[in-house]
Amino acid sequence: RLSHPPQSHRHRSMATAEELNARFGEAGLGMVRFEEPSDGPSVRVVMQAAADSIVELHLLGAHVTRWLAGGQERLWTSPESVTDGSAPISGGIPIAFPQFDDLGPLSKHGFASHQLWKVSRVWATPDVELGVALELEESEETLRLWNHKFRLELEVRLRSTTALKMILLAKNSGDSPFSLTSCFRTHLQVPEVGTSRL
């Protein structure tokens, strides 16, 4: 299997939280903001529709790590997780791309969750939908692992106080076809397994 290079060499924040707030703050109407976490280079995006409705995601891996809905935490994220790139964030909603699990030559679940994504758009609507769009394109590193040009676009939408919607689009921006497997690997926090339904 092809492994990822040492992560400490790969992650440099492309923009600071201050720069992102200056660029996108007005579009987010104060309900979408960017913060610098204390334990790593990955800026954290916080979408807050109400005191009891919050989504947090990191630009490292475009990884949703928190979803508070109706005052209840909906996702499980390990309290030992760090965002310094030394290890994958455990829990939340990691993205598998271009390979799910070990169904191919790459490391388990591919490389998208190890890359630093860029913010392309932020919005807030009068009916209280908050959103952020992120993108990831091939780099020298990804081409060494998987020799294909691509563009990933992720939209994360917090609707009202109870709905989280995520849309991932993969585009082939090269000349040769490729196959892929991809998914959101959601870790739900369940208070009582016996009474839960999906």
Side-chain angles (χ1 to χ4, degrees), residues 56-145:
E56 295 181 3
L57 67 143
H58 289 263
L59 298 188
L60 176 60
H63 195 133
V64 174
T65 54
R66 184 178 188 209
W67 175 29
L68 179 72
Q72 184 176 358
E73 294 291 350
R74 304 294 179 166
L75 298 176
W76 175 85
T77 301
S78 171
E80 281 84 43
S81 283
V82 294
T83 59
D84 63 3
S86 62
I89 298 171
S90 179
I93 309 177
I95 296 171
F97 175 91
Q99 170 186 303
F100 173 69
D101 199 46
D102 59 358
L103 304 175
L106 299 173
S107 294
K108 196 171 185 179
H109 301 307
F111 53 72
S113 64
H114 303 278
Q115 303 299 311
L116 202 54
W117 292 54
K118 293 180 187 177
V119 179
S120 58
R121 193 164 52 100
V122 168
W123 67 93
T125 65
D127 59 346
V128 195
E129 176 182 281
L130 308 178
V132 61
L134 306 178
E135 61 184 38
L136 178 68
E137 294 180 312
E138 78 280 344
S139 64
E140 288 181 13
E141 177 191 338
T142 66
L143 288 169
R144 280 193 301 272
L145 296 169

Coordinates of all heavy atoms in Angstrom, one line a residue, residues 56-145:
E56 N -18.9 22.5 13.7 CA -17.5 22.9 13.6 C -16.8 21.9 12.7 O -17.1 20.7 12.7 CB -16.9 22.8 15.0 CG -17.4 23.8 16.0 CD -16.7 23.7 17.4 OE1 -15.8 22.9 17.5 OE2 -17.1 24.4 18.3
L57 N -16.0 22.5 11.8 CA -15.2 21.6 10.9 C -13.8 22.2 10.8 O -13.6 23.4 11.0 CB -15.8 21.5 9.5 CG -16.0 22.7 8.6 CD1 -15.8 22.3 7.2 CD2 -17.4 23.3 8.8
H58 N -12.9 21.4 10.4 CA -11.5 21.8 10.3 C -11.1 21.8 8.8 O -11.5 20.9 8.0 CB -10.5 20.9 11.0 CG -10.6 21.1 12.5 ND1 -9.8 21.8 13.2 CD2 -11.5 20.6 13.4 CE1 -10.1 21.8 14.5 NE2 -11.2 21.1 14.6
L59 N -10.3 22.7 8.4 CA -9.8 22.7 7.0 C -8.9 21.5 6.7 O -8.7 21.1 5.6 CB -9.1 24.1 6.7 CG -10.0 25.3 6.8 CD1 -9.2 26.5 6.2 CD2 -11.3 25.1 6.1
L60 N -8.3 21.0 7.8 CA -7.5 19.8 7.6 C -8.5 18.6 7.4 O -9.2 18.3 8.3 CB -6.6 19.5 8.9 CG -5.9 18.2 8.9 CD1 -4.9 18.2 7.7 CD2 -5.1 18.0 10.2
G61 N -8.5 18.1 6.2 CA -9.4 17.0 5.8 C -10.8 17.4 5.6 O -11.7 16.6 5.4
A62 N -11.2 18.7 5.7 CA -12.6 19.2 5.6 C -13.4 18.3 6.5 O -14.5 17.8 6.2 CB -13.1 19.0 4.1
H63 N -12.9 18.2 7.7 CA -13.4 17.2 8.7 C -14.4 17.9 9.7 O -14.0 18.8 10.5 CB -12.2 16.6 9.5 CG -12.5 15.4 10.2 ND1 -11.7 14.3 10.2 CD2 -13.5 15.1 11.1 CE1 -12.2 13.4 11.0 NE2 -13.3 13.8 11.5
V64 N -15.7 17.5 9.6 CA -16.7 18.0 10.6 C -16.4 17.2 11.9 O -16.4 16.0 11.9 CB -18.1 17.7 10.1 CG1 -19.1 18.1 11.2 CG2 -18.4 18.5 8.8
T65 N -16.2 18.0 13.0 CA -15.9 17.4 14.3 C -17.0 17.6 15.3 O -17.0 17.0 16.3 CB -14.6 18.0 14.8 OG1 -14.6 19.4 14.9 CG2 -13.4 17.5 14.0
R66 N -17.9 18.5 15.0 CA -19.0 18.7 16.0 C -20.3 19.1 15.3 O -20.2 19.9 14.3 CB -18.6 19.9 16.9 CG -19.6 20.1 18.0 CD -19.2 21.2 19.0 NE -20.1 21.2 20.1 CZ -20.3 22.3 20.8 NH1 -19.7 23.4 20.6 NH2 -21.2 22.3 21.9
W67 N -21.4 18.6 15.8 CA -22.7 19.0 15.3 C -23.6 19.0 16.6 O -24.0 17.9 17.1 CB -23.2 18.1 14.2 CG -24.7 18.4 13.8 CD1 -25.3 19.6 13.9 CD2 -25.6 17.5 13.3 NE1 -26.6 19.5 13.4 CE2 -26.8 18.2 13.0 CE3 -25.6 16.1 13.0 CZ2 -28.0 17.6 12.5 CZ3 -26.7 15.5 12.5 CH2 -27.9 16.2 12.3
L68 N -23.9 20.2 17.0 CA -24.8 20.3 18.2 C -26.2 20.7 17.6 O -26.3 21.7 16.9 CB -24.3 21.4 19.1 CG -25.2 21.8 20.3 CD1 -25.1 20.6 21.4 CD2 -24.7 23.1 21.0
A69 N -27.2 19.9 17.8 CA -28.5 20.2 17.3 C -29.6 20.1 18.4 O -29.6 19.1 19.1 CB -28.9 19.2 16.2
G70 N -30.3 21.1 18.6 CA -31.3 21.1 19.7 C -30.7 20.9 21.0 O -31.2 20.3 21.9
G71 N -29.4 21.4 21.2 CA -28.7 21.3 22.4 C -28.1 19.9 22.7 O -27.5 19.7 23.7
Q72 N -28.2 19.0 21.7 CA -27.7 17.7 21.9 C -26.5 17.4 20.9 O -26.6 17.7 19.7 CB -28.8 16.6 21.6 CG -28.3 15.2 21.9 CD -29.4 14.2 21.7 OE1 -30.6 14.6 21.5 NE2 -29.1 12.9 21.9
E73 N -25.4 16.9 21.4 CA -24.3 16.6 20.5 C -24.6 15.4 19.7 O -25.1 14.3 20.2 CB -23.0 16.2 21.4 CG -22.5 17.4 22.1 CD -21.8 18.5 21.3 OE1 -21.6 18.2 20.1 OE2 -21.5 19.5 21.8
R74 N -24.5 15.5 18.4 CA -25.0 14.4 17.4 C -23.8 13.6 16.9 O -24.0 12.5 16.4 CB -25.7 15.1 16.2 CG -26.9 15.9 16.6 CD -28.0 15.1 17.3 NE -29.1 16.0 17.6 CZ -30.3 15.5 17.9 NH1 -30.5 14.2 18.0 NH2 -31.2 16.3 18.3
L75 N -22.6 14.1 17.1 CA -21.4 13.3 16.6 C -20.5 12.9 17.7 O -20.4 13.7 18.7 CB -20.6 14.2 15.6 CG -21.3 14.6 14.3 CD1 -20.4 15.5 13.5 CD2 -21.8 13.4 13.5
W76 N -19.8 11.8 17.5 CA -18.8 11.4 18.5 C -17.5 11.7 17.9 O -17.2 11.4 16.7 CB -18.8 9.9 18.7 CG -17.7 9.4 19.6 CD1 -17.7 9.4 21.0 CD2 -16.4 8.9 19.2 NE1 -16.5 9.0 21.4 CE2 -15.7 8.7 20.3 CE3 -15.9 8.7 17.9 CZ2 -14.4 8.2 20.3 CZ3 -14.6 8.2 17.9 CH2 -13.8 8.0 19.0
T77 N -16.6 12.5 18.6 CA -15.3 12.7 18.3 C -14.4 12.4 19.5 O -14.7 12.8 20.6 CB -15.1 14.2 17.8 OG1 -15.9 14.5 16.7 CG2 -13.7 14.5 17.4
S78 N -13.3 11.7 19.3 CA -12.5 11.3 20.4 C -11.9 12.5 21.1 O -11.4 13.5 20.4 CB -11.3 10.4 19.9 OG -10.4 10.2 20.9
P79 N -12.0 12.6 22.4 CA -11.4 13.7 23.1 C -9.9 13.8 23.0 O -9.3 14.8 23.3 CB -11.8 13.4 24.6 CG -12.2 12.0 24.7 CD -12.6 11.6 23.3
E80 N -9.2 12.6 22.6 CA -7.8 12.6 22.4 C -7.4 13.1 21.0 O -6.2 13.2 20.7 CB -7.2 11.2 22.5 CG -7.1 10.8 24.0 CD -8.4 10.3 24.6 OE1 -9.0 9.5 23.9 OE2 -8.7 10.6 25.7
S81 N -8.3 13.4 20.1 CA -8.0 13.9 18.8 C -7.2 15.2 18.8 O -7.5 16.1 19.6 CB -9.3 14.1 17.9 OG -9.7 12.8 17.5
V82 N -6.3 15.3 17.9 CA -5.5 16.6 17.7 C -5.6 17.0 16.2 O -5.9 16.2 15.4 CB -4.0 16.4 18.1 CG1 -3.9 16.2 19.6 CG2 -3.4 15.3 17.3
T83 N -5.4 18.3 16.0 CA -5.5 18.8 14.6 C -4.1 19.3 14.1 O -4.1 20.2 13.3 CB -6.5 19.9 14.5 OG1 -6.2 20.9 15.4 CG2 -7.9 19.4 14.9
D84 N -3.1 18.7 14.7 CA -1.7 19.2 14.3 C -1.2 18.4 13.1 O -0.1 18.6 12.6 CB -0.8 19.1 15.4 CG -0.6 17.7 16.0 OD1 -1.1 16.7 15.4 OD2 0.2 17.6 17.0
G85 N -2.0 17.5 12.5 CA -1.5 16.7 11.4 C -0.7 15.5 11.7 O -0.3 14.7 10.9
S86 N -0.4 15.2 13.0 CA 0.4 14.1 13.4 C -0.3 12.8 13.3 O 0.3 11.7 13.3 CB 1.0 14.3 14.8 OG -0.1 14.4 15.8
A87 N -1.7 12.9 13.3 CA -2.5 11.7 13.2 C -3.9 12.1 12.7 O -4.2 13.3 12.9 CB -2.7 11.0 14.6
P88 N -4.6 11.2 12.1 CA -6.0 11.6 11.6 C -6.9 12.0 12.8 O -6.7 11.5 13.9 CB -6.5 10.4 10.9 CG -5.3 9.5 10.7 CD -4.3 9.9 11.7
I89 N -7.8 12.9 12.6 CA -8.8 13.2 13.6 C -9.7 12.0 13.7 O -10.2 11.4 12.7 CB -9.6 14.5 13.2 CG1 -8.7 15.7 13.1 CG2 -10.7 14.7 14.2 CD1 -9.3 16.9 12.4
S90 N -9.9 11.6 15.0 CA -10.7 10.4 15.2 C -12.2 10.7 15.5 O -12.4 11.5 16.4 CB -10.1 9.6 16.4 OG -10.9 8.4 16.6
G91 N -13.1 10.2 14.7 CA -14.5 10.5 14.9 C -15.0 11.6 14.0 O -14.4 11.9 13.0
G92 N -16.2 12.2 14.4 CA -16.8 13.2 13.5 C -17.2 12.6 12.2 O -17.8 11.5 12.1
I93 N -17.0 13.4 11.1 CA -17.3 13.0 9.8 C -16.1 13.1 8.8 O -16.0 14.1 8.1 CB -18.5 13.8 9.2 CG1 -19.7 13.8 10.2 CG2 -19.0 13.2 7.9 CD1 -20.9 14.6 9.7
P94 N -15.2 12.1 8.8 CA -14.1 12.2 7.9 C -14.6 11.8 6.5 O -15.5 11.1 6.3 CB -13.1 11.1 8.5 CG -13.9 10.2 9.3 CD -15.1 11.0 9.8
I95 N -13.8 12.2 5.5 CA -14.1 12.0 4.1 C -13.1 10.9 3.6 O -11.9 11.1 3.7 CB -14.0 13.2 3.2 CG1 -15.0 14.3 3.7 CG2 -14.2 12.9 1.7 CD1 -14.9 15.6 3.0
A96 N -13.7 9.8 3.0 CA -12.9 8.9 2.3 C -12.8 9.2 0.8 O -13.9 9.4 0.2 CB -13.4 7.5 2.4
F97 N -11.6 9.4 0.3 CA -11.4 9.7 -1.2 C -9.9 9.6 -1.5 O -9.1 10.0 -0.7 CB -11.9 11.1 -1.5 CG -11.6 11.5 -2.9 CD1 -12.5 11.3 -3.9 CD2 -10.3 12.1 -3.3 CE1 -12.2 11.6 -5.3 CE2 -10.0 12.4 -4.6 CZ -11.0 12.2 -5.6
P98 N -9.6 9.0 -2.6 CA -10.4 8.4 -3.7 C -10.6 6.9 -3.5 O -11.0 6.2 -4.4 CB -9.5 8.6 -4.9 CG -8.1 8.5 -4.4 CD -8.2 9.1 -3.0
Q99 N -10.4 6.5 -2.2 CA -10.6 5.1 -1.9 C -11.2 4.9 -0.6 O -10.9 5.5 0.4 CB -9.2 4.4 -1.9 CG -9.1 3.0 -1.4 CD -7.6 2.5 -1.3 OE1 -6.9 2.6 -2.3 NE2 -7.2 2.1 -0.1
F100 N -12.2 4.0 -0.5 CA -12.8 3.6 0.7 C -12.1 2.5 1.4 O -11.7 1.5 0.6 CB -14.3 3.3 0.5 CG -14.9 2.8 1.8 CD1 -15.2 3.6 2.9 CD2 -15.3 1.4 1.9 CE1 -15.7 3.1 4.0 CE2 -15.9 0.9 3.0 CZ -16.1 1.8 4.1
D101 N -11.9 2.5 2.6 CA -11.2 1.4 3.4 C -9.9 1.0 2.7 O -9.1 1.9 2.4 CB -12.2 0.3 3.5 CG -11.8 -0.7 4.7 OD1 -11.5 -0.2 5.8 OD2 -11.9 -1.9 4.5
D102 N -9.7 -0.3 2.6 CA -8.5 -0.8 2.0 C -8.8 -1.4 0.6 O -8.1 -2.3 0.1 CB -7.7 -1.8 2.9 CG -8.6 -3.0 3.2 OD1 -9.8 -3.0 2.8 OD2 -8.1 -3.9 3.9
L103 N -9.8 -0.9 -0.1 CA -10.2 -1.4 -1.4 C -9.4 -0.8 -2.5 O -10.0 -0.2 -3.4 CB -11.7 -1.2 -1.6 CG -12.6 -1.7 -0.4 CD1 -14.1 -1.4 -0.7 CD2 -12.5 -3.3 -0.4
G104 N -8.1 -0.9 -2.4 CA -7.3 -0.3 -3.5 C -5.8 -0.2 -3.0 O -5.5 -0.6 -1.9
P105 N -5.0 0.4 -3.8 CA -3.6 0.5 -3.5 C -3.1 1.5 -2.5 O -2.0 1.5 -2.0 CB -2.9 0.8 -4.8 CG -3.9 1.6 -5.6 CD -5.3 1.0 -5.1
L106 N -4.0 2.5 -2.2 CA -3.7 3.6 -1.3 C -3.8 3.2 0.2 O -4.3 2.1 0.5 CB -4.6 4.8 -1.5 CG -4.5 5.4 -2.9 CD1 -5.5 6.4 -3.1 CD2 -3.1 5.9 -3.2
S107 N -3.3 4.0 1.1 CA -3.6 3.9 2.5 C -5.1 3.9 2.7 O -5.9 4.4 2.0 CB -2.9 5.0 3.3 OG -1.6 4.9 3.2
K108 N -5.5 3.3 3.8 CA -6.9 3.2 4.2 C -7.6 4.5 4.1 O -7.2 5.5 4.6 CB -7.0 2.6 5.6 CG -8.4 2.1 5.9 CD -8.3 1.4 7.3 CE -9.6 0.7 7.6 NZ -9.6 0.0 8.9
H109 N -8.7 4.5 3.3 CA -9.6 5.7 3.1 C -9.0 6.8 2.3 O -9.5 7.9 2.2 CB -10.1 6.2 4.4 CG -10.9 5.2 5.2 ND1 -11.9 4.5 4.7 CD2 -10.7 4.8 6.5 CE1 -12.4 3.7 5.7 NE2 -11.7 3.9 6.7
G110 N -7.9 6.5 1.6 CA -7.3 7.5 0.7 C -6.6 8.7 1.4 O -6.2 8.5 2.5
F111 N -6.6 9.8 0.7 CA -5.7 10.9 1.2 C -6.5 12.2 1.5 O -5.9 13.2 2.0 CB -4.6 11.2 0.2 CG -5.1 11.5 -1.2 CD1 -5.7 12.6 -1.6 CD2 -4.8 10.5 -2.2 CE1 -6.1 12.8 -2.9 CE2 -5.2 10.7 -3.5 CZ -5.9 11.9 -3.8
A112 N -7.8 12.3 1.1 CA -8.5 13.6 1.2 C -8.5 14.1 2.7 O -8.5 15.3 3.0 CB -9.9 13.5 0.7
S113 N -8.6 13.2 3.6 CA -8.7 13.6 5.0 C -7.4 14.0 5.6 O -7.3 14.5 6.8 CB -9.3 12.4 5.9 OG -8.4 11.3 5.8
H114 N -6.3 13.9 4.8 CA -5.0 14.3 5.3 C -4.5 15.6 4.6 O -3.4 16.1 4.9 CB -3.9 13.2 5.0 CG -4.3 11.9 5.6 ND1 -4.0 11.6 6.9 CD2 -4.9 10.8 5.0 CE1 -4.4 10.4 7.1 NE2 -4.9 9.9 6.0
Q115 N -5.4 16.2 3.8 CA -5.0 17.4 3.0 C -5.6 18.6 3.6 O -6.7 18.6 4.2 CB -5.5 17.2 1.6 CG -4.9 16.0 0.9 CD -3.4 16.0 0.8 OE1 -2.8 17.0 0.4 NE2 -2.8 14.9 1.2
L116 N -5.0 19.8 3.4 CA -5.5 21.0 3.8 C -6.4 21.6 2.7 O -5.9 21.8 1.6 CB -4.4 22.0 4.1 CG -4.6 23.2 5.0 CD1 -5.2 22.7 6.3 CD2 -3.4 23.9 5.3
W117 N -7.7 21.8 3.0 CA -8.7 22.2 2.0 C -8.7 23.8 2.0 O -8.4 24.4 3.0 CB -10.0 21.7 2.3 CG -10.2 20.2 2.1 CD1 -9.4 19.2 2.6 CD2 -11.2 19.5 1.3 NE1 -9.8 18.0 2.2 CE2 -10.9 18.1 1.4 CE3 -12.2 20.0 0.5 CZ2 -11.7 17.2 0.8 CZ3 -13.0 19.0 -0.1 CH2 -12.7 17.6 0.0
K118 N -9.2 24.4 0.9 CA -9.4 25.8 0.8 C -10.9 26.2 0.9 O -11.7 25.5 0.4 CB -8.9 26.3 -0.6 CG -7.4 26.2 -0.8 CD -7.1 26.7 -2.2 CE -5.6 26.4 -2.5 NZ -5.3 26.8 -3.9
V119 N -11.1 27.3 1.5 CA -12.5 27.9 1.6 C -12.8 28.6 0.3 O -12.0 29.5 -0.1 CB -12.7 28.8 2.8 CG1 -14.1 29.4 2.8 CG2 -12.3 28.2 4.1
S120 N -13.9 28.3 -0.4 CA -14.2 29.0 -1.6 C -15.4 29.9 -1.5 O -15.6 30.8 -2.3 CB -14.4 28.0 -2.8 OG -15.5 27.1 -2.4
R121 N -16.3 29.6 -0.5 CA -17.5 30.4 -0.4 C -18.1 30.2 1.0 O -18.0 29.1 1.6 CB -18.5 29.9 -1.5 CG -19.7 30.8 -1.7 CD -20.4 30.5 -3.0 NE -20.7 29.1 -3.2 CZ -21.9 28.5 -2.9 NH1 -22.9 29.3 -2.6 NH2 -22.1 27.3 -3.1
V122 N -18.8 31.2 1.5 CA -19.5 31.2 2.7 C -20.8 31.9 2.5 O -20.9 32.9 1.7 CB -18.7 32.0 3.8 CG1 -19.6 32.2 5.1 CG2 -17.5 31.2 4.2
W123 N -21.9 31.4 3.1 CA -23.2 32.1 3.0 C -24.1 31.9 4.2 O -23.9 31.0 5.0 CB -23.9 31.6 1.7 CG -24.4 30.2 1.8 CD1 -25.6 29.7 2.2 CD2 -23.7 29.1 1.4 NE1 -25.7 28.4 2.1 CE2 -24.5 27.9 1.6 CE3 -22.4 28.9 0.9 CZ2 -24.1 26.6 1.3 CZ3 -22.0 27.6 0.6 CH2 -22.8 26.5 0.8
A124 N -25.0 32.9 4.4 CA -26.0 32.8 5.4 C -27.3 33.4 4.8 O -27.2 34.5 4.2 CB -25.6 33.6 6.6
T125 N -28.4 32.7 4.9 CA -29.6 33.2 4.3 C -30.6 33.6 5.3 O -30.5 33.2 6.5 CB -30.3 32.0 3.4 OG1 -30.6 30.9 4.3 CG2 -29.3 31.5 2.4
P126 N -31.7 34.4 4.9 CA -32.7 34.8 5.9 C -33.4 33.7 6.6 O -33.8 33.8 7.7 CB -33.6 35.7 5.0 CG -32.8 36.1 3.9 CD -31.9 35.0 3.6
D127 N -33.6 32.6 5.9 CA -34.3 31.4 6.5 C -33.3 30.6 7.4 O -33.6 29.4 7.7 CB -35.0 30.6 5.5 CG -34.0 30.0 4.4 OD1 -32.9 30.5 4.4 OD2 -34.5 29.1 3.7
V128 N -32.2 31.1 7.8 CA -31.2 30.5 8.7 C -30.6 29.2 8.1 O -30.7 28.2 8.7 CB -31.8 30.3 10.1 CG1 -30.6 30.0 11.0 CG2 -32.6 31.5 10.6
E129 N -30.1 29.3 6.9 CA -29.2 28.3 6.4 C -27.8 28.9 6.3 O -27.6 29.9 5.7 CB -29.6 27.8 5.0 CG -28.6 26.8 4.5 CD -28.8 26.3 3.1 OE1 -29.6 25.4 2.9 OE2 -28.1 26.8 2.1
L130 N -26.9 28.3 7.0 CA -25.5 28.7 7.0 C -24.8 27.7 6.2 O -25.0 26.5 6.2 CB -25.0 28.7 8.4 CG -25.8 29.5 9.5 CD1 -25.1 29.4 10.8 CD2 -26.0 31.0 9.1
G131 N -23.8 28.2 5.5 CA -23.0 27.2 4.6 C -21.6 27.7 4.4 O -21.3 28.9 4.5
V132 N -20.8 26.7 4.1 CA -19.4 26.9 3.7 C -19.1 25.9 2.6 O -19.5 24.7 2.7 CB -18.4 26.8 4.9 CG1 -18.4 25.4 5.5 CG2 -17.0 27.1 4.5
A133 N -18.4 26.4 1.6 CA -17.9 25.5 0.5 C -16.4 25.4 0.5 O -15.7 26.5 0.7 CB -18.4 26.1 -0.8
L134 N -15.9 24.2 0.5 CA -14.5 24.0 0.5 C -14.1 23.3 -0.8 O -14.9 22.6 -1.5 CB -14.1 23.1 1.7 CG -14.5 23.6 3.1 CD1 -14.1 22.5 4.1 CD2 -14.0 24.9 3.4
E135 N -12.8 23.4 -1.2 CA -12.3 22.7 -2.4 C -10.9 22.1 -2.1 O -10.2 22.6 -1.3 CB -12.3 23.6 -3.6 CG -11.4 24.8 -3.4 CD -11.5 25.8 -4.5 OE1 -12.6 26.0 -5.1 OE2 -10.5 26.4 -4.9
L136 N -10.7 21.1 -2.9 CA -9.3 20.4 -2.9 C -9.0 20.0 -4.3 O -9.8 19.4 -5.0 CB -9.4 19.2 -2.0 CG -8.1 18.4 -1.9 CD1 -7.0 19.1 -1.1 CD2 -8.3 17.0 -1.2
E137 N -7.8 20.3 -4.7 CA -7.3 19.9 -6.0 C -6.0 19.1 -5.9 O -5.4 19.1 -4.8 CB -7.1 21.1 -6.9 CG -8.3 21.9 -7.2 CD -8.1 23.1 -8.1 OE1 -7.2 23.9 -7.8 OE2 -8.8 23.2 -9.1
E138 N -5.6 18.4 -7.0 CA -4.4 17.6 -6.9 C -3.2 18.5 -6.6 O -3.2 19.7 -6.9 CB -4.2 16.9 -8.3 CG -3.6 17.7 -9.4 CD -4.7 18.6 -10.1 OE1 -5.9 18.4 -9.9 OE2 -4.3 19.5 -10.8
S139 N -2.2 17.9 -6.0 CA -1.0 18.6 -5.7 C 0.2 17.6 -6.1 O -0.1 16.5 -6.4 CB -0.9 18.9 -4.2 OG -0.9 17.7 -3.4
E140 N 1.4 18.1 -5.9 CA 2.5 17.2 -6.2 C 2.4 16.0 -5.3 O 2.7 14.8 -5.7 CB 3.9 17.9 -5.9 CG 4.2 19.0 -6.9 CD 5.5 19.6 -6.6 OE1 6.3 19.1 -5.8 OE2 5.8 20.7 -7.3
E141 N 2.0 16.2 -4.0 CA 1.9 15.1 -3.1 C 0.8 14.1 -3.5 O 1.1 12.9 -3.6 CB 1.5 15.6 -1.7 CG 1.3 14.4 -0.7 CD 0.7 14.9 0.6 OE1 0.8 16.1 0.9 OE2 0.1 14.1 1.3
T142 N -0.4 14.5 -3.9 CA -1.4 13.6 -4.3 C -1.1 12.9 -5.6 O -1.5 11.7 -5.8 CB -2.8 14.3 -4.4 OG1 -2.8 15.2 -5.5 CG2 -3.2 15.0 -3.1
L143 N -0.4 13.6 -6.5 CA -0.1 13.0 -7.8 C 1.0 11.9 -7.6 O 1.0 10.9 -8.3 CB 0.5 14.1 -8.8 CG -0.6 15.0 -9.3 CD1 0.1 16.2 -10.1 CD2 -1.6 14.3 -10.2
R144 N 1.8 12.0 -6.6 CA 2.7 10.9 -6.3 C 2.0 9.7 -5.8 O 2.3 8.5 -6.0 CB 3.7 11.3 -5.2 CG 4.9 12.2 -5.8 CD 6.0 12.3 -4.8 NE 5.6 12.9 -3.5 CZ 5.6 14.2 -3.3 NH1 6.0 15.0 -4.2 NH2 5.2 14.7 -2.1
L145 N 0.9 9.9 -5.0 CA 0.1 8.8 -4.5 C -0.9 8.2 -5.5 O -1.1 7.0 -5.5 CB -0.7 9.3 -3.2 CG 0.2 9.8 -2.0 CD1 -0.7 10.5 -1.0 CD2 0.9 8.6 -1.4

